[in-house]
Amino acid sequence: MRILTVGAGAAGGYFGARLAQAGRDVTFLVRPRRVEALRARGLRVSGPGEKIVLDPRLVTADALEGTYDGSSRRPCCP
């Protein structure tokens, strides 16, 4: 199953990282400047007694190709 996570901030980053850590095929849809930062520092998730750093699979909107079986996205507020 291919999963597209929209954004790699607090919500998208956390849930996408957990899915990736569990071995799922996760790609993060991010803005070009965010790609640079994530490639340089990795995706970091920390909590009580835990800190993980992932090298996530990234894509920008203009390079998005193919289909995904599921998506994880932030809730939208009016």
Side-chain angles (χ1 to χ4, degrees):
M1 173 182 272
R2 294 179 68 206
I3 301 169
L4 181 67
T5 298
V6 179
Y14 177 80
F15 289 107
R18 291 298 183 191
L19 288 166
Q21 188 180 30
R24 304 293 186 213
D25 181 1
V26 180
T27 300
F28 292 86
L29 175 63
V30 295
R31 294 183 176 149
R33 285 182 58 186
R34 186 76 166 127
V35 169
E36 295 171 19
L38 288 168
R39 287 201 175 128
R41 295 187 307 250
L43 177 60
R44 299 166 182 263
V45 178
S46 60
E50 179 182 36
K51 182 175 181 181
I52 61 171
V53 180
L54 299 174
D55 184 20
R57 185 174 305 129
L58 306 169
V59 67
T60 56
D62 61 333
L64 190 59
E65 294 180 356
T67 58
Y68 290 85
D69 301 304
S71 68
S72 170
R73 56 190 165 127
R74 320 180 268 232
C76 180
C77 302

